[in-house]
Amino acid sequence: MGANLFFASTGAVLEVIGVPADDALIGAWRDRVQRAGTHVGWRKCQAVARRHQGGASLAISAPCDQLFAATE
């Protein structure tokens, strides 16, 4: 969590390993990130997915004082 390669702001990254990260899974994850971000008042919550051979990296932006909440 913190500085990352996905966006200029702080955030948290979830590594998904051994699970196919298809469009449906990533779409559902993005929907949940947006709902959660709206619920906790994160105005510009970004969700970025990067697929790789072993799974995917799923990153969300979050305010620096709420990074532990973003990991949940």
Side-chain angles (χ1 to χ4, degrees):
M1 61 183 187
N4 59 80
L5 301 173
F6 296 96
F7 27 76
S9 61
T10 56
V13 180
L14 168 68
E15 289 295 329
V16 178
I17 305 295
V19 175
D22 59 16
D23 290 341
L25 180 119
I26 291 173
W29 168 76
R30 281 194 172 123
D31 289 344
R32 286 176 176 86
V33 166
Q34 292 303 319
R35 280 198 316 250
T38 298
H39 184 70
V40 297
W42 299 345
R43 295 179 189 261
K44 295 182 180 180
C45 186
Q46 294 177 296
V48 177
R50 185 183 68 81
R51 291 182 180 107
H52 51 73
Q53 186 175 2
S57 299
L58 307 176
I60 64 169
S61 62
C64 64
D65 62 338
Q66 296 179 22
L67 289 174
F68 283 116
T71 65
E72 295 297 321

